[in-house]
């Protein structure tokens, strides 16, 4: 049994994680929240206390931390006696936090792939550029490290594993992950999570896995339209994303692609910003000699994603459209979740995108705590038992459904 959780990060996802950890602190133990801005951590602590989320009495504390400082992170892990670290900070800190966990023995979880601030859209498979290089270190030190255990990546990896392993198909031919946010935040333009990370996903090449090979496209070059449960007809665009880079490696599926929904307004604003060079991560000098990074300036003037939550309405629909053969016939299934922005805000004070990213990583912590996922090595989610994860999330506010020739129904095991 592992107990005591250190949450690194203080954005909207961290708020969800803190509330959900508090709701299960009888199992998870004491909760500590750390980021460079301790005031943001304290605001999360206050939110948890105001909503009465703590299931039992226990520590709930805020800390200041530069998570790029490995020694400082190790010291905080040891000081708080945290046996599990949930990293929901910037993807730039992943390797530093992971190293601190390797050296202290704490279990490590994150929700997004590591990024090098000086590189955008590295060559695939992305996990091989950073995380997988430390697989042996994790194994040598008996450290459980679960990579990308939010929703996408995370839940969609589990859906892919279930589709492949549960006997729905004799052969799976393609997995298309479709991410639709049919919600409305009321702002002229905003991103649902860190603008800097959001835009970096879309300014580089779009990598997909097709016919057992990597294929390169441009952003907004390839699109599709689907009639999806609850949210109806939606257009999405093929986008590069983390989970493709592990699913293509671990599952014997010739085609794995990721599609994200965008409205015409978002695309127009994005294209203007990008065309003007305002989404560049490379520094420029102003006429006054001041060096600035355009992307960071754009981030500074856009709404904080956490601030969107109070007025967010509508729903999300995220899932895996899986196609293949069964008994010699074509077959397809859609395994998915629908989440509600207003319900998420009512429960944890965050919008639905943060909710879908934050709840699964707490489910992972619970499975580590009870030993089911405490594997003493580095893994991606599709390598772990999918049944307990799906069942647990059904009980935690993130129910899974399946749609196939038998109809649309809840999925549990």
């Amino acid at each position: 049994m592992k107990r005591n959780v250190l949450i690194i990060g203080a954005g909207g996802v961290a708020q969800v994680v803190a509330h959900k950890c508090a709701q299960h602190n009888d199992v998870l133990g004491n909760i500590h929240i750390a980021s460079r801005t301790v005031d943001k951590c304290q605001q999360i602590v206050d939110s948890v206390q105001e909503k009465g989320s703590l299931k039992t009495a226990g520590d709930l504390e805020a800390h200041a931390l530069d998570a790029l400082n490995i020694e400082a992170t190790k010291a905080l892990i040891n000081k708080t006696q945290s046996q599990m670290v949930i990293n929901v900070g910037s993807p730039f800190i992943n390797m530093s936090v992971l190293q601190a966990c390797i050296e202290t023995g704490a279990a490590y979880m994150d929700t997004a792939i590591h990024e090098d601030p000086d590189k955008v859209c590295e060559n695939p498979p992305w996990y091989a550029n950073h995380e997988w290089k430390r697989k042996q270190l994790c194994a040598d030190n008996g450290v459980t490290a679960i990579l990308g255990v939010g929703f996408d990546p995370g839940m969609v990896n589990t859906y892919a594993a279930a589709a492949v392993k549960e006997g729905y198909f004799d052969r799976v031919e393609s997995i298309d992950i479709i991410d639709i946010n049919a919600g409305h935040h009321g702002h002229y333009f905003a991103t649902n999570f860190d603008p800097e990370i959001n835009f970096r996903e879309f300014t580089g090449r779009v990598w997909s896995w097709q016919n057992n090979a990597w294929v390169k496209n441009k952003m907004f070059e390839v699109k599709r339209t689907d009639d999806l449960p609850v949210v109806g007809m939606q257009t999405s665009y093929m986008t590069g994303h983390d989970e493709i880079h592990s699913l293509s490696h671990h599952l014997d599926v010739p085609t794995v692609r990721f599609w994200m929904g965008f409205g015409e307004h978002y695309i127009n604003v994005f294209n203007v910003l990008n065309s003007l060079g305002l989404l560049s991560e490379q520094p420029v000098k102003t006429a006054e000699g001041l060096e600035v990074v355009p992307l960071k300036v754009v981030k500074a003037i856009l709404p904080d994603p956490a601030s969107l939550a109070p007025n967010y309405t509508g729903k999300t629909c995220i899932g895996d459209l899986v196609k293949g053969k069964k008994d010699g016939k074509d077959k397809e299934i859609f395994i998915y979740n629908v989440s509600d922005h207003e319900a998420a805000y009512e429960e944890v004070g965050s919008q639905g995108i943060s909710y879908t990213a934050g709840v699964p990583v707490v489910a992972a912590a619970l499975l580590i705590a009870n030993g089911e996922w405490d594997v003493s090595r580095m893994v991606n989610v599709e390598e772990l038992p999918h049944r307990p994860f799906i069942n647990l999330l059904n009980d935690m506010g993130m129910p899974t459904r399946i749609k196939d020739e038998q109809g649309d129904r809840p999925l549990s095991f």
Side-chain angles (χ1 to χ4, degrees), residues 189 220 237 261-273:
F189 186 81
F220 304 126
Y237 295 80
F262 296 94
E264 288 299 320
H265 176 70
Y266 183 101
I267 294 171
N268 289 337
V269 174
F270 173 89
N271 285 335
V272 169
L273 293 172

Side-chain angles (χ1 to χ4, degrees), residues 3-7 17 21 28-33 80-86 109 365:
R3 284 179 63 82
N4 301 336
V5 178
L6 173 61
I7 302 165
V17 171
C21 283
L28 296 177
N30 295 329
I31 303 164
H32 297 269
I33 309 168
T80 58
Q81 298 182 317
S82 296
Q83 295 181 306
M84 294 175 282
V85 174
I86 295 177
M109 290 153 276

Side-chain angles (χ1 to χ4, degrees), residues 152-207:
D152 43 347
M155 281 301 296
V156 296
N157 301 58
T158 295
Y159 293 168
V164 170
K165 299 173 183 178
E166 284 292 338
Y168 298 114
F169 299 90
D170 296 324
R171 182 176 77 253
V172 173
E173 296 172 344
S174 66
I175 299 173
D176 285 297
I177 299 160
I178 303 172
D179 182 331
I180 299 295
N181 173 23
H184 304 279
H185 48 59
H187 291 264
Y188 175 78
F189 186 81
T191 60
N192 291 301
F193 56 98
D194 186 336
E196 185 174 3
I197 303 304
N198 188 218
F199 288 134
R200 285 168 62 96
E201 285 185 359
F202 310 143
T203 53
R205 300 158 289 179
V206 170
W207 289 110

Side-chain angles (χ1 to χ4, degrees), residues 10-20 44 86 88 111 149-153 155 179 181 191-194 304-310 312 316 318 337 339-345 347-362 393 397-398:
V13 178
Q15 172 141 330
V16 176
V17 171
H19 277 271
K20 284 296 186 178
I44 294 175
I86 295 177
V88 284
T111 61
V149 65
F151 202 105
D152 43 347
M155 281 301 296
D179 182 331
N181 173 23
T191 60
N192 291 301
F193 56 98
D194 186 336
D304 181 343
S307 73
L308 305 178
Y312 226 128
T316 69
I318 310 172
N337 165 267
S339 289
D340 183 280
H341 288 289
E342 291 175 281
Y345 182 67
E347 181 188 351
V348 300
S350 289
Q351 37 97 336
I353 303 299
S354 296
Y355 193 84
T356 59
V359 179
V361 73
V362 179
L393 281 159
M398 296 253 334

Side-chain angles (χ1 to χ4, degrees), residues 211-321:
N211 298 316
N212 293 306
W214 290 105
V215 176
K216 180 173 61 174
N217 290 95
K218 296 179 181 178
M219 188 62 191
F220 304 126
E221 181 180 355
V222 184
K223 67 180 180 179
R224 63 184 293 150
T225 301
D226 297 276
D227 189 1
L228 298 172
V230 180
V231 298
M233 296 296 295
Q234 297 287 337
T235 298
S236 58
Y237 295 80
M238 193 163 69
T239 306
H241 223 248
D242 308 7
E243 51 271 55
I244 301 170
H245 298 261
S246 67
L247 293 174
S248 59
H249 183 79
H250 292 127
L251 300 182
D252 185 19
V253 177
T255 295
V256 183
R257 296 170 294 201
F258 183 89
W259 307 81
M260 184 171 284
F262 296 94
E264 288 299 320
H265 176 70
Y266 183 101
I267 294 171
N268 289 337
V269 174
F270 173 89
N271 285 335
V272 169
L273 293 172
N274 199 32
S275 298
L276 293 173
L278 290 171
L279 301 185
S280 172
E281 80 286 357
Q282 299 301 318
V284 297
K285 280 192 176 180
T286 68
E288 297 76 22
L290 179 66
E291 186 173 271
V292 297
V293 174
L295 179 54
K296 291 186 180 294
V297 174
V298 172
K299 174 180 176 178
I301 61 176
L302 287 178
D304 181 343
S307 73
L308 305 178
N311 299 311
Y312 226 128
T313 60
K315 301 182 190 299
T316 69
C317 180
I318 310 172
D320 293 20
L321 179 63

Side-chain angles (χ1 to χ4, degrees), residues 348-378:
V348 300
S350 289
Q351 37 97 336
I353 303 299
S354 296
Y355 193 84
T356 59
V359 179
V361 73
V362 179
L366 288 164
L367 292 172
I368 290 174
N370 71 19
E372 289 185 85
W373 275 17
D374 194 10
V375 292
S376 301
R377 58 190 175 93
M378 176 183 286

